[in-house]
Structures are given as structure tokens and as C-alpha cells.
Amino acid sequence: MGMRVDIATLFPDMCQRVLDESILGRAAKRGYIETHSHQIRDYTLNKQKQTDDYPYGGGCGMVMYAQPIADCLRDIANQVEQQGRPKPHVIFMTPGGIKFDEEQAKRLAQYDNITFVCGHYEGIDERVIEAFADEEMSLGDFVLTGGELAALAVADSVLRLQPGVLAEQKGYEDESFWDGLLEYPQYTRPEVWEGRTVPSVLLSGDHGKVDAWRMEQSKQRTKQRRPDLWKAYEAAHPPVPEKKRRKRKRPAAEPEIVENFCVSAQSDEK
């Protein structure tokens, strides 16, 4: 049973269409992962299916009700429990959450199942966040019209790390950010395109030289484009100090052994 991801949203069709396409869609059909999108509006208690109201204290915009979100999350938790899975790890996508990155993706990939909650308008009633959220998460220092794109981005990044989703584990270990560096440049056929050639080292067939070239390109690209990442990489990979060669001490000369011969001189005289 593969990792399960649920998204509580006002636009479930939009989310599910993305999750059902391409690599994730194929992985779901093969049973490596499981994805579900839920309509928060289905859990409202008013005839108008209204999910928001004016904020207490005044201000522009609308705030999403706590009740339909809470009931949606309870329903998801019940479905998960019936599968014999552990309690969902619930993430609210909010601008005030922790910033998502590859290290967060690796951490989240260890969960059996995750439920994302997508906010809209001015946000979500804080009380339901306090009651249900295991954490709040943000894509970065900018604001979107809703949490759907952010939830899909995080879900994609986490699900691609699941066994079987990508053909090879190396498929994500060579990617940008995995080891703190940006990925090296890639090339494919033809060898010459509009006067631009593929670096000769990639055509050499020498895998050792190719790996060394790629690592150097990753380092240079990271240093130029993301000095913040490069600084962190340098801190995590301090240069190994060269070992000073110890001068070998010549062994002391062995004392010369002088053999004493006693020579008895015999006189020829009779």
C-alpha cells in the first residue's frame, strides 16, 4: 500500500486532474501511491453551501468557516482509519507556514499519509488550524489566490520520492537541491544545434571525467546563481585538510661489527 495524499479544497476537480496526469497518474494506477481530492463545500450545513463569512474585527475579504473544514478532515481521517493506516499528518497551506524545500520533502516523504488543506480569500478561521493542523507550510515569500497550487507543488515533490514512482532512485538523487547544489546542465541530440555544441567531455565515454565535470558545473552554477545555497554547502562540506607528510627518519646506522681475530704467529725458526 503506497503513500496516500488527500487534498481538502474548494476545487477538487482541478487538483485531481493534476494528480491523475503524467508520472503521478501512472504511479497511482500501478498502486505505488494513492491520491484523493475532497470538496470542502460538501460539508457545509447551510442551504447555500456557503464556506466563508466576514471577519470579526472588520477588514476586507472573507474568512473560511471552521466547521466544514473540520468535518471534511474528520471524514478523511475515518477513511484512512478504515484502510488500516495511521492518523493523517495534516498540513495547512498558509503564507505564515514554514518554507518548503527539498529537506522538507524528504521529511514528509516518510509519512504514510498526508492531508493538505487549501485556504482561500483572507484565510481560514484560526480555530480549526489550532484544532487540526500538525503544521503550516508555505511555498515562499509570496501570496497566491488559493492554496491549491501550493498543495499540488508540495504533493508532487513528496510523492515523486516514493518507491516505484520514478524509474530509478538516481532520478531524484541527481536533481537540484538533493545534496545542496543546483543540477548541472543537460544536453541531448543533436550534437550541434544552431552552432552550439555539446561539451566534448560528455561525448568522451569516460564516466569518471563526466561525473567530475558535472560536479564542477553544479558547484559553479550554485555559486553564481544561489550564493545562499553555496554558503550552506560550503559549511556542510568543509575542505579536508591535507595531511602533512611526515619525514621518515632514517634508521640509525647499525654499529659496525668488528671481529677480532687472534693471530698466532708461528716462528719458522726451529
Side-chain angles (χ1 to χ4, degrees):
M1 188 163 52
M3 184 182 196
R4 171 170 172 155
V5 162
D6 292 85
I7 299 181
T9 169
L10 295 176
F11 301 94
D13 292 340
M14 163 189 162
C15 293
Q16 200 60 48
R17 278 198 298 269
V18 173
L19 296 171
D20 288 343
E21 290 292 333
S22 189
I23 293 173
L24 296 187
R26 291 194 296 271
K29 288 178 181 177
R30 294 168 183 163
Y32 296 123
I33 59 174
E34 185 178 341
T35 62
H36 302 273
S37 300
H38 307 265
Q39 174 58 270
I40 294 173
R41 202 177 298 278
D42 290 344
Y43 297 87
T44 56
L45 301 179
N46 56 75
K47 293 181 180 179
Q48 297 78 20
K49 297 292 184 182
Q50 185 178 343
T51 59
D52 59 351
D53 209 335
Y54 295 106
Y56 280 122
C60 62
M62 308 288 275
V63 176
M64 293 181 69
Y65 288 133
Q67 173 270 317
I69 295 175
D71 286 349
C72 180
L73 291 176
R74 291 188 182 106
D75 189 22
I76 293 171
N78 183 52
Q79 294 176 29
V80 167
E81 183 181 5
Q82 289 178 3
Q83 287 186 319
R85 294 178 182 269
K87 179 184 175 184
H89 184 76
V90 180
I91 301 175
F92 281 69
M93 301 305 302
T94 66
I98 60 174
K99 189 180 291 187
F100 180 73
D101 58 19
E102 189 66 23
E103 290 305 311
Q104 297 294 340
K106 294 177 190 176
R107 175 178 66 84
L108 295 178
Q110 303 306 310
Y111 285 98
D112 173 82
N113 65 100
I114 297 176
T115 297
F116 295 97
V117 181
C118 305
H120 265 274
Y121 317 122
E122 277 302 296
I124 298 172
D125 190 313
E126 186 68 21
R127 291 169 293 185
V128 73
I129 298 177
E130 293 172 352
F132 287 89
D134 290 303
E135 59 183 305
E136 296 177 60
M137 192 159 283
S138 167
L139 278 191
D141 299 335
F142 54 90
V143 180
L144 300 169
T145 55
E148 283 74 19
L149 293 177
L152 288 169
V154 176
D156 184 282
S157 183
V158 172
L159 288 171
R160 68 190 295 274
L161 299 179
Q162 298 304 307
V165 175
L166 298 183
E168 299 180 54
Q169 181 175 333
K170 192 173 177 62
Y172 57 76
E173 289 185 349
D174 278 351
E175 298 282 0
S176 293
F177 311 114
W178 182 261
D179 60 356
L181 296 173
L182 298 180
E183 189 180 3
Y184 47 80
Q186 299 277 17
Y187 300 86
T188 188
R189 297 178 182 178
E191 290 183 20
V192 180
W193 175 78
E194 296 190 357
R196 299 172 185 267
T197 60
V198 175
S200 58
V201 65
L202 300 179
L203 308 174
S204 67
D206 188 324
H207 297 296
K209 289 182 179 179
V210 169
D211 289 343
W213 179 86
R214 285 174 169 171
M215 174 57 76
E216 184 59 28
Q217 290 294 311
S218 287
K219 289 181 177 180
Q220 292 302 321
R221 181 170 282 195
T222 305
K223 189 184 298 186
Q224 294 169 5
R225 301 183 183 182
R226 291 292 303 274
D228 56 324
L229 288 179
W230 178 249
K231 185 176 180 180
Y233 179 84
E234 281 193 308
H237 301 79
V240 179
E242 293 185 6
K243 293 182 179 180
K244 292 182 178 180
R245 292 184 179 179
R246 294 181 179 178
K247 292 182 178 180
R248 290 184 180 180
K249 292 182 178 180
R250 292 182 178 179
E254 294 183 4
E256 186 176 352
I257 299 174
V258 180
E259 295 183 2
N260 295 322
F261 293 97
C262 296
V263 179
S264 63
Q266 292 182 353
S267 175
D268 288 335
E269 295 180 357
K270 291 182 182 180

